[in-house]
Amino acid sequence: MNGAQLLVAALENEGVKRIFGVPGEENLDFLEALRRSSIELVLTRHEQAAAFMAATHGRLTGEAGVCLTTLGPGALNLTTGAAYAQLGAMPMVMITGQKGVLSRKQARFQIVDIVSTMTPLTKMAQRIVGTATIPSTVREAFRIARQERPGPVHLELPEDVAAAQAPEVALIAPHLIAMPLADPAALDRAAQLISGAQYPLVMLGAAASRPPLAGALSDFVRRLQIPFFNTQMGKGSVAGGSGLYMGTAALSERDYVHQAIDRADLIICIGHDTVEKPPFLMGPTGPSVLHVGYLPANIEEVYFPHAELIGDIGPSLTLLADRLEGLLPRAGALLPLREHILARIGERADERRYPLTPQRIVHDVRQVMPEDGIVCLDNGMYKIWFARNYRTRIANTLLLDNALATMGAGLPSAMMAAMLYPARRVLAVCGDGGFMMSSQELETAVRLGLNLVVLVLEDNAYGMIRWKQAVEGFADFGMTFGNPDFVTYAKAYGMKGTRVESADGLIPALREGFAGGGVQLVVVPIDYSENLRVLIEELGSVRE
Ligand SMILES: Cc1ncc(C[n+]2csc(CCOP(=O)(O)OP(=O)(O)O)c2C)c(N)n1
Ligand SMILES: [Mg+2]
């Protein structure tokens, strides 16, 4: 057995089923070991997409996704994916090759210090310097990637270590680790705070979307009957139509949902992660904030909770509900605002304008997606509209990145979702800018035989930045571009492409796309004049 074979055996020991990536010559021993293993190699057309897919595997399953690249240029292409997983708290293990460490037959050719490059982008970045430590290093890497707060880990395997004879070293079996629960005294204090609130409100943040949490969170909300809103990445974490949903905070202030936030005297922030664009801004006055988290809150200018309940979130919330159920006469005090807030958000959703308004697109997508269908967003202006307007009833059915907020991740994340859940409808929603940053992966999606519809929103511009430019009073400059004919482009990949030609054309195009199976592209022109009208003119005056 050589080092590469031992590494692959250690990955199998961690339950790894697939590795995403683009190997290079320094990975050839590893590749050969992979060929003889139970692990599938999923080749992508760019390393960045491999990292986005591996990270999304971690996000959706809680188990680290794994990606593989060569040294130097290939490894550097992982950096955005590493940051995506680091900011988004997604467990991922990245394996990169390197020239031999004991001799330098190619001098410095292609050598970049990747461990140093990855250090600020990961929870751990380490070179494997000998075969004997491979089992313990791999076990440690997966433990760290998975453990709260989850994130990426980088392991570098030099080619001479990969080829070196490995001693008989036993692998280390993974085992479940239960997290500690919140302390009883902290639970009592939290219960007291909530009992005393006149206008309590629950906020569900990014960590509320961790895969195993949905049941306990939904029970907590159902038992206490306190209305809730969510951050963009906390969307969908309460199951079912509870009647308590007050909206999603896609802006930091002045959106309709802030009418409830501004009235609240206590906000119970469950799983808030300050990597997200702030859902509301704390200041010298305003509501008390109780932070419920796996880990203590990060203190920021705009987030400094007054009390904290730290421990495994699900069971700790159950203990909290045990103390409070049926004892909160003021639980629903903010509920009367709900109807108005949701009605304002839902306005103009069936308008028949062409090009389509963002509201209409969100509305039509919701019509076509079943409750368990998964919508994966890239980053652009439409993300705000989907976050505000798209209603979710099942956890992780609207995947968006409000942490690194990188363009280019929408399609790969949808591909990962389609691989993990072949029986569910999966839709990637991308702007014409972001789509073209990873559109080469259409070939990967077609080759893998995925069922997936890709919706491209066409405004011939980096619309989000163009909007900000307008809002801040700058001249309209430099943000427009031309596009390929997306229907022909789809055909070139052997896929079907459809252009939406009328306001009522989106729903049938999406339905046909899903019915037809395989990978399909639908392109729809979008009218962003609503950005200014709603997000600035209307919401700018919402408080007056
Ligand atoms: C990799 C990357 N580059 C640049 C940005 C800055 N940025 C955010 S949104 C955006 C424009 C997105 O354009 P498009 O994908 O067409 O979506 P639109 O806003 O037009 O709907 C840009 C350039 C980013 N977030 N990520
Ligand atoms: Mg665009």
Side-chain angles (χ1 to χ4, degrees), residues 382 430-434 457-464 481 483 526 528:
Y382 52 89
C430 308
D432 44 6
L457 310 178
E458 191 175 47
D459 67 338
N460 298 299
Y462 291 121
M464 171 94 179
F481 47 66
N483 275 314
I526 186 166
Y528 273 143

Side-chain angles (χ1 to χ4, degrees), residues 198-201 225-228 242-246 260 263 330-342:
Q198 295 301 300
Y199 292 96
L201 187 60
Q225 291 292 307
I226 299 175
F228 70 92
S242 61
L244 296 167
Y245 170 71
M246 302 289 282
R263 274 290 286 287
R330 301 282 304 170
L334 287 172
L335 264 184
L337 296 174
R338 177 173 189 266
E339 207 174 308
H340 170 73
I341 291 172
L342 296 185

Side-chain angles (χ1 to χ4, degrees), residues 224-351:
L224 293 198
Q225 291 292 307
I226 299 175
F228 70 92
F229 71 106
N230 43 245
T231 67
Q232 295 192 43
M233 291 177 83
K235 227 175 148 72
S237 39
V238 165
S242 61
L244 296 167
Y245 170 71
M246 302 289 282
T248 300
L251 308 175
S252 297
E253 53 186 340
R254 293 181 159 228
D255 204 344
Y256 297 113
V257 67
H258 292 94
Q259 294 176 0
I261 296 170
D262 293 348
R263 274 290 286 287
D265 63 344
L266 172 70
I267 302 184
I268 305 158
C269 289
I270 301 176
H272 182 43
D273 191 329
T274 55
V275 291
E276 284 207 78
K277 188 183 279 184
F280 66 98
L281 305 171
M282 288 182 69
T285 58
S288 299
V289 170
L290 167 65
H291 175 85
V292 181
Y294 292 110
L295 299 169
N298 290 116
I299 304 307
E300 304 285 346
E301 242 177 284
V302 294
Y303 191 68
F304 43 89
H306 306 99
E308 305 197 29
L309 187 65
I310 305 308
D312 195 354
I313 293 181
S316 299
L317 285 178
T318 304
L319 293 174
L320 189 57
D322 290 345
R323 283 168 165 75
L324 290 170
E325 187 173 8
L327 300 175
L328 297 177
R330 301 282 304 170
L334 287 172
L335 264 184
L337 296 174
R338 177 173 189 266
E339 207 174 308
H340 170 73
I341 291 172
L342 296 185
R344 293 308 302 259
I345 290 171
E347 275 171 8
R348 292 173 168 241
D350 42 17
E351 203 168 5

